[in-house]
Amino acid sequence: VGRSVAFYQDALGIPLLFAQDVIHGWRTVFPVPLAEAASFNPAAVEGAARIAAVEASGYGIHWTFAPMVDVARDPRWGRVVEGAGEDPHLGSVMAAARVRGFQGTDLSAANTLLATPKHFAAYGAAEGGRDYNTADVSERTLWEVYLPPFEAAVAAGAGSIMAGFNDIGGTPAHGSRWLLTDVLRGRWGFKGLVVSDWTGVEELLRHGIAATREEAAVRALEAGVDIEMSSDLYRTDLPAAVRAGRVTSALIDSAVLRVLRAKQALGLFEDPYRYSDTTRERRVTLTPEHRAAARALAREAIVLLKNQTRPSGAPTLPLPKNLGSIAVIGTLAVDSASALGSWSGAGRSEDVITLLEGVRRAAGARTRVLHTRGAPVDTIDARGFADAERLARTADAVVLVLGERADMSAEAASRASLELPGAQLALAQRVVRAARAVNPDKPIVALLMNGRPLALQWLADSVPAVLETWFLGVEHGNAAADVLFGDYSPSGRLPVTFPRVTGQVPIHYGHRPTGRPPAENEHYTSKYIDVSWTPLWPFGYGLSYTSFAYVNLQLSADSARAADSIVVAVEVTNTGPRQGDEVVQLYIHDDAASVARPVRALKGFRRITLRAGERQKVEFTLRADDLALYDRTMRKVVEPGTFTVFVGGSSEGGLEGQFRVSGDTLVVAAAPPRLQ
Ligand code: BGC
């Protein structure tokens, strides 16, 4: 980019703002956001956003359209890959971490980016999982599920926010004064700027809530959209609207002022070039330290879903490094573009360590690593099966790389079926049969690369080990190999539920109990007649190469007033053979309240590292805000009564305790402005 004054400032000397989607890294591409969330490591996720800001700001970018903080409970929606999954608490923690990472502590520093939580709001509730579709969510679900990550991002100081393409029950976000002004500015005190999503202002015409371009522009401006990103209705139609008195110039002034303030906060009035520094860019781009951070986070994002003991008694994973040969089967094993994921920024294919390369680097010098594609990712083509079967028979271990290409999730990439695409399931069946026929003890691993939960019942039943690697960025292959060969014990946890079949979605752990909770032997309960109601793998789930035991769950009090806090303590011991990380999770259930509460709600989590045999006490503090619910009048309150606490390594099982909140109902916050 040339340093021409005209290019950086307009005639009045107003500096220009350069914006870009810097989502999960810039040149050093980190794991996709869903994978980052699987790390349950907000400090590392903040660090990744910091590195992305350092690299992208050197390139001249001021403003990123990230983080995406949309809760997603329907994985048919392709953009599930861009967020932190299904849970409002995990989503809020990750949202705040990313905002802090991008913006740093001082926005005027040359290595920070203005952050943009998006897409405000409930974009992830798209009906049928079809992108851009209507979200018909209740006011309660908005406040309980979809709004909290935005509120957390605003509280963390986010300087801008992006409206969603969707409508909520007939009101498109770009035309919703309730959302963009009453909630955002009124309730949350947001002072930053609101940007449209691409042509979101013009789309008010197609939503059918404006008859003319001018009407659409006025509606969006009045709702609270300050900047129109890509369509040009503001530029072409607002001048006439002002002249005719159909919109006040004061409204335009306040939108303009917010834009100027953002430029001021970024320090651009002092020096419009401060972010464009080719020397700094070269110095900070794809450094060994950045790569190391990407590898560390990538390893923590990998989730071990299954690890069966082989007939000989050894676990399937990790693979020994002294195998004679390993067959790596799958197209995705060499797909560097997919490893980069959905928003690869300035990432380059040549920077990527593919899965195959990672295995080659990590395997012992005498191990032959053989590769064949087996089948394309999403077309039915069995021509490569015979070759794959031959390798599966001859090699000492099989790593079957299965899943989706990166362009099969993300924007406008909804899928009606969550099953493995193309001929991959048939390939897996043939390969497993071929390998077993020669040697029933042969280690076979299904290694997944995908941007959404998939329905993998057959793999779960029939392949001895299953490893979820998502799309891990430039260090994909190294991180996956670290786990495959046991240099790192897997520690990631699912940020989203995996269904058995597509028809179970939306399926998530934080559902309400219903009046007829599912029960195996009771017909008239809430379940299916053709498939279990349970997920294949639940939220929070993930295995390790070591094991952990939980004992001594202690609550600081059996009974407390609503305003008091309760400390929940537990002791976690590494009972297995080696060091490993455990993600300790705290859930609560309000046993009887004025409105039905989720069977469990995550309220805290902590990633801890324990050596073999080591024990650690972990404490969580539950405060009024954690116990609160929106009552029937939408006040945020803590109601007296009993609460159950669950502490463990997943959203299922764990230790249980109980405490009572005594005294009167505590009002934590008055009712928000009612949905309009
Ligand atoms: C997406 C946004 C993105 C914008 C700019 C839109 O289509 O929905 O998430 O920030 O494009 O690239």
Side-chain angles (χ1 to χ4, degrees):
V1 178
R3 288 171 62 104
S4 112
V5 173
F7 195 61
Y8 277 79
Q9 298 178 331
D10 70 3
L12 297 173
I14 308 289
L16 300 188
L17 257 186
F18 288 87
Q20 176 63 287
D21 291 277
V22 182
I23 310 284
H24 53 100
W26 183 241
R27 178 77 184 270
T28 306
V29 179
F30 280 79
V32 291
L34 188 64
E36 289 193 355
S39 74
F40 279 71
N41 186 344
V45 171
E46 180 177 336
R50 187 83 289 281
I51 287 171
V54 164
E55 292 192 354
S57 60
Y59 178 81
I61 294 166
H62 310 131
W63 182 21
T64 177
F65 300 136
M68 187 189 98
V69 305
D70 295 311
V71 170
R73 293 182 158 181
D74 187 336
R76 291 174 297 179
W77 189 55
R79 301 197 80 168
V80 65
V81 67
E82 297 179 56
E86 73 185 40
D87 183 64
H89 178 77
L90 178 63
S92 299
V93 172
M94 291 299 169
R98 291 196 168 108
V99 168
R100 286 194 304 268
F102 287 129
Q103 295 195 164
T105 46
D106 174 10
L107 255 190
S108 73
N111 63 3
T112 53
L113 298 177
L114 189 71
T116 314
K118 65 185 188 184
H119 307 81
F120 195 48
Y123 181 42
E127 220 171 73
R130 194 158 50 80
D131 207 1
Y132 317 121
N133 206 2
T134 294
D136 205 352
V137 284
S138 69
E139 190 171 11
R140 171 172 305 286
T141 300
L142 273 175
W143 284 103
E144 288 181 355
V145 178
Y146 293 101
L147 295 182
F150 286 98
E151 187 173 5
V154 168
S160 73
I161 222 160
M162 187 188 294
F165 282 128
N166 57 295
D167 70 277
I168 301 177
T171 302
H174 286 77
S176 173
R177 191 172 164 80
W178 175 77
L179 203 53
L180 303 184
T181 299
D182 300 348
V183 171
L184 183 61
R185 299 196 187 280
R187 174 86 166 182
W188 295 341
F190 178 72
K191 299 268 186 293
L193 64 89
V194 175
V195 62
S196 77
D197 192 357
W198 204 251
T199 45
V201 174
E202 187 174 39
E203 289 172 30
L204 295 180
L205 288 160
R206 269 169 291 174
H207 275 287
I209 64 149
T212 63
R213 285 169 61 88
E214 186 190 298
E215 258 179 57
V218 170
R219 173 80 183 251
L221 186 73
E222 285 180 349
V225 177
D226 300 313
I227 296 189
E228 189 183 7
M229 191 199 293
S230 175
S231 48
D232 60 359
L233 282 60
Y234 277 18
R235 192 156 53 80
T236 59
D237 293 81
L238 282 182
V242 174
R243 279 194 295 272
R246 287 188 289 270
V247 72
T248 64
S249 54
L251 207 54
I252 295 189
D253 286 349
S254 58
V256 169
L257 192 60
R258 286 185 200 119
V259 180
L260 296 178
R261 282 217 185 96
K263 294 179 179 185
Q264 188 183 40
L266 287 160
L268 295 176
F269 279 103
E270 283 135 53
D271 177 6
Y273 308 112
R274 70 190 313 162
Y275 287 71
S276 311
D277 181 340
T278 43
T279 313
R280 183 165 67 91
E281 184 189 353
R282 266 194 302 275
R283 188 165 40 80
V284 299
T285 295
L286 202 65
T287 61
E289 294 74 31
H290 291 183
R291 266 199 179 271
R295 182 170 181 166
L297 183 50
R299 301 201 300 196
E300 293 186 357
I302 296 173
V303 188
L304 179 61
L305 296 169
K306 180 181 178 189
N307 194 17
Q308 201 171 298
T309 305
R310 287 154 47 198
S312 59
T316 306
L317 283 174
L319 298 175
K321 284 191 178 170
N322 60 1
L323 290 167
S325 60
I326 301 176
V328 175
I329 299 171
T331 298
L332 289 166
V334 289
D335 183 350
S336 49
S338 282
L340 286 176
S342 48
W343 285 106
S344 45
R348 298 185 187 170
S349 282
E350 65 261 31
D351 298 338
V352 174
I353 307 295
T354 62
L355 192 273
L356 181 63
E357 272 177 78
V359 171
R360 289 216 158 110
R361 286 171 175 218
R366 279 195 287 277
T367 304
R368 280 183 310 131
V369 178
L370 313 160
H371 174 250
T372 188
R373 288 175 183 256
V377 175
D378 62 345
T379 49
I380 309 283
D381 179 349
R383 281 172 297 178
F385 281 20
D387 226 26
E389 288 172 290
R390 188 179 50 78
L391 283 198
R393 272 192 299 270
T394 52
D396 297 324
V398 177
V399 178
L400 244 174
V401 186
L402 303 167
E404 301 175 324
R405 278 190 321 273
D407 64 0
M408 296 173 70
S409 55
E411 189 175 350
S414 295
R415 289 184 64 206
S417 160
L418 299 174
E419 273 66 32
L420 278 174
Q424 293 185 87
L425 179 58
L427 170 72
Q429 290 169 335
R430 294 272 290 269
V431 163
V432 169
R433 199 175 330 125
R436 286 252 170 78
V438 227
N439 174 7
D441 201 46
K442 187 178 294 195
I444 310 172
V445 184
L447 185 145
L448 302 165
M449 290 175 68
N450 46 292
R452 60 156 61 79
L454 296 173
L456 302 166
Q457 183 74 64
W458 187 85
L459 290 190
D461 291 342
S462 312
V463 182
V466 183
L467 199 59
E468 176 57 79
T469 72
W470 322 101
F471 304 124
L472 295 173
V474 286
E475 289 291 320
H476 190 111
N478 282 335
D482 286 340
V483 170
L484 276 175
F485 293 103
D487 292 325
Y488 181 79
S489 174
S491 57
R493 299 306 165 92
L494 293 181
V496 66
T497 302
F498 274 47
R500 297 171 188 277
V501 298
T502 306
Q504 285 181 308
V505 304
I507 179 170
H508 56 94
Y509 85 92
H511 56 83
R512 296 205 176 82
T514 79
R516 295 187 175 197
E520 199 64 72
N521 300 318
E522 284 180 63
H523 184 67
Y524 292 99
T525 58
S526 181
K527 53 185 199 259
Y528 301 103
I529 58 168
D530 55 347
V531 68
S532 164
W533 71 85
T534 61
L536 187 55
W537 292 299
F539 175 89
Y541 169 81
L543 304 170
S544 164
Y545 293 155
T546 185
S547 52
F548 300 94
Y550 287 71
V551 291
N552 283 343
L553 177 66
Q554 280 177 340
L555 307 185
S556 58
D558 294 335
S559 177
R561 319 262 319 164
D564 299 341
S565 47
I566 300 255
V567 178
V568 179
V570 71
E571 283 171 29
V572 186
T573 310
N574 181 343
T575 50
R578 54 173 292 167
Q579 174 171 310
D581 280 14
E582 170 73 339
V583 177
V584 183
Q585 300 161 47
L586 165 75
Y587 298 84
I588 65 162
H589 173 62
D590 187 339
D591 298 333
S594 58
V595 291
R597 304 301 297 145
V599 292
R600 282 188 185 209
L602 183 71
K603 293 296 170 185
F605 59 87
R606 187 121 1 104
R607 173 184 270 271
I608 57 170
T609 305
L610 295 180
R611 293 186 305 278
E614 192 181 347
R615 165 181 296 222
Q616 189 177 318
K617 185 171 178 180
V618 177
E619 286 187 353
F620 299 97
T621 303
L622 285 170
R623 301 193 171 79
D625 210 51
D626 300 311
L627 307 180
L629 55 84
Y630 289 95
D631 70 7
R632 274 172 294 177
T633 63
M634 293 305 287
R635 290 181 315 170
K636 204 171 184 190
V637 300
V638 181
E639 295 176 345
T642 60
F643 287 77
T644 304
V645 169
F646 310 86
V647 181
S650 152
S651 63
E652 289 181 356
L655 299 179
E656 283 186 37
Q658 220 178 34
F659 64 90
R660 168 173 294 281
V661 170
S662 58
D664 298 331
T665 295
L666 174 78
V667 180
V668 178
R674 298 313 295 256
L675 172 61
Q676 286 164 25

